[in-house]
Amino acid sequence: MDHRPVVYVVDDDPVLREIACRTVESLALDVECFTSGRQFLDKFDPSRVSCLLTDLRMPDLTGQQLLEVLAARRSTIPAIMISGHGDIASAVRAMAVGAIAFLEKPCGLDTLRHTIRRAIELARKRHQAGASETAHRNRLAELTDEERATMQMIASGLPDKAIAAEQDVSLRTVQYRRASLFEKLQVKTRAELIRLVALDAHATGSEAVALQPTETAAE
């Protein structure tokens, strides 16, 4: 498994592609260069920390269309659009489908380096967030129906006595289940539990529990 971040460069101009690739290498990052968007899509590894540097105007698949394909695939890769024919409308469209920056050619190397560093840092954060969400989903999948019901009640703000009455168990049993549930899900507060309930609802397609009007997400 590759651990070093990679920058994907997509540009049909061999000279500019070479400049971009050398710039990336100067940052001690891996780089993979492609002459077309379709070539990149065939090789793209979404499991790696990465960013995309793509030209706007290319034959076969434009930079804009490439970002639209990635957005449709729910990719979170930060993209940098670069073009010698940029305008405000193009920049707005690029930002709408995932670009974090729109640079005009010729672009200063310092600006390019800074933008790539920013994109890779964002990619790291998104990658970590994605790994955390996957871990949470795995923990949620291990819950029993009883634990899931208890989780919903706690998140909705029901006091332990009300939960005990609803489940026809003792107050001590509810307190034990609460402690066990928090340990199993690795959360410490009801606010954290509420976020997991929302994640669980999204995964199962069920309706998320709602907070009472007088409640907040904080403990």
Side-chain angles (χ1 to χ4, degrees), residues 2-198:
D2 295 310
H3 295 286
R4 195 161 74 161
V6 58
V7 179
Y8 296 108
V9 177
V10 183
D11 197 322
D12 61 317
D13 186 318
V15 175
L16 296 177
R17 189 172 62 247
E18 179 66 18
I19 292 173
C21 289
R22 289 186 180 277
T23 301
V24 173
E25 290 172 344
S26 72
L27 297 173
L29 298 169
D30 286 348
V31 59
E32 294 186 19
C33 299
F34 304 95
T35 59
S36 72
R38 297 191 187 281
Q39 186 183 54
F40 157 72
L41 290 171
D42 288 339
K43 299 292 184 179
F44 174 45
D45 180 0
S47 69
R48 291 189 70 179
V49 175
S50 61
C51 74
L52 169 66
L53 175 64
T54 180
D55 190 18
L56 173 61
R57 293 192 179 183
M58 295 183 293
D60 188 27
L61 195 68
T62 68
Q64 176 71 23
Q65 291 170 330
L66 175 57
L67 295 195
E68 289 171 354
V69 170
L70 290 170
R73 295 182 180 183
R74 297 188 177 181
S75 171
T76 60
I77 183 172
I80 303 166
M81 185 79 78
I82 188 166
S83 175
H85 309 277
D87 54 48
I88 294 178
S90 297
V92 170
R93 286 194 296 270
M95 298 292 185
V97 287
I100 66 164
F102 191 100
L103 306 179
E104 291 189 56
K105 298 178 182 178
C107 174
L109 295 184
D110 286 343
T111 298
L112 183 57
R113 291 190 188 98
H114 172 75
T115 306
I116 290 172
R117 288 193 190 99
R118 183 162 64 89
I120 288 296
E121 183 58 31
L122 178 58
R124 285 195 178 100
K125 291 179 180 178
R126 289 179 178 178
H127 192 267
Q128 290 169 357
S132 177
E133 182 172 310
T134 298
H136 285 321
R137 289 186 188 280
N138 290 339
R139 295 188 193 106
L140 286 166
E142 294 175 358
L143 294 181
T144 64
D145 290 342
E146 183 181 80
E147 288 172 330
R148 197 177 296 278
T150 302
M151 176 182 71
Q152 291 278 349
M153 292 179 188
I154 294 172
S156 68
L158 282 178
D160 289 350
K161 287 184 179 180
I163 296 175
E166 179 72 22
Q167 297 185 333
D168 195 22
V169 297
S170 69
L171 178 60
R172 185 183 293 263
T173 297
V174 172
Q175 292 169 338
Y176 171 77
R177 287 178 179 175
R178 175 192 285 268
S180 177
L181 189 63
F182 274 48
E183 181 179 3
K184 193 169 187 177
L185 294 177
Q186 297 183 19
V187 298
K188 296 181 179 179
T189 68
R190 191 168 69 88
E192 292 177 307
L193 189 68
I194 288 170
R195 284 191 285 272
L196 287 191
V197 170

Side-chain angles (χ1 to χ4, degrees), residues 196-208:
L196 287 191
V197 170
L199 181 64
D200 185 49
H202 177 74
T204 60
S206 59
E207 186 174 339

